Amino acid sequence: RVQGEEQAVVSHEAVPLWQEQEAVKRHYAQEDAHIQADLEPIRQDSERRFRSLAEEAAQVQASQDLEKEKLEESKSKLSVADDTEETTPSVTNTPKLVILLSKSFGNPTQRANQDRALAMIQGKFSSNKDDIEEVDGSDPANKDRRNQLFGISGIR
């Protein structure tokens, strides 16, 4: 007997085995077709999601590559030195805070504000003061370093 939408009626005559096998094959082929039809939207959605994730990963990689290029460019700007001038410090693996300030002041309020800001920064970095570099931008000897720092920061 074959179970399904239609049920075979058993008669007193015996159904040949090969016919019964063919009916079972047809039944399973129909079930397989229905399952494949049900799975197709899921497969298409999975492919769309995979493509979307692959595009997102490519965008992230491109962004990381761009950031890496910018970092390398900044490193090269820091390590550029003229043979006749004093060498500027190169970028190291240790983070360092570089403070560009002015030791010549126009008024006492400006000096007090700068001193207060420096005290706060030094308090924050009190564990390792070697990580702080102060550059006096008003000193003519620091002109190249000052311009280099302005170039890196993009602020003048």
Side-chain angles (χ1 to χ4, degrees):
R1 248 201 255 199
V2 177
Q3 293 182 355
E5 292 177 11
E6 296 179 20
Q7 194 171 23
V9 177
V10 178
S11 67
H12 294 285
E13 296 178 27
V15 176
L17 183 58
W18 69 268
Q19 285 180 341
E20 203 171 312
Q21 288 173 341
E22 289 297 317
V24 169
K25 284 181 185 177
R26 279 193 305 277
H27 173 74
Y28 284 121
Q30 289 174 347
E31 278 189 14
D32 188 49
H34 288 297
I35 291 170
Q36 292 300 324
D38 290 344
L39 289 177
E40 184 60 22
I42 296 169
R43 185 190 63 76
Q44 289 176 355
D45 186 52
S46 294
E47 285 179 2
R48 269 193 304 277
R49 288 181 182 184
F50 177 79
R51 282 192 301 273
S52 174
L53 288 173
E55 289 171 4
E56 189 176 326
Q59 289 173 350
V60 167
Q61 183 65 46
S63 175
Q64 288 174 343
D65 290 345
L66 182 62
E67 289 299 318
K68 189 175 181 180
E69 287 176 20
K70 287 180 180 179
L71 178 62
E72 291 299 321
E73 184 179 319
S74 294
K75 284 181 181 180
S76 68
K77 283 181 180 179
L78 282 176
S79 62
V80 172
D82 187 17
D83 293 337
T84 60
E85 298 177 10
E86 186 177 311
T87 314
T88 58
S90 62
V91 174
T92 63
N93 291 337
T94 312
K96 190 167 194 170
L97 175 64
V98 180
I99 302 172
L100 180 61
L101 48 83
S102 175
K103 299 278 182 169
S104 63
F105 298 97
N107 63 50
T109 304
Q110 186 181 16
R111 174 154 187 119
N113 289 339
Q114 181 173 291
D115 288 344
R116 191 171 41 253
L118 280 173
M120 288 189 304
I121 290 170
Q122 288 169 345
K124 189 100 170 149
F125 285 86
S126 63
S127 62
N128 194 356
K129 294 191 186 240
D130 294 334
D131 288 343
I132 300 175
E133 177 187 349
E134 292 182 16
V135 177
D136 180 8
S138 63
D139 185 351
N142 292 333
K143 180 181 178 186
D144 291 335
R145 180 76 168 136
R146 178 192 68 212
N147 291 338
Q148 183 182 41
L149 292 171
F150 279 140
I152 292 168
S153 71
I155 300 171
R156 186 149 187 115

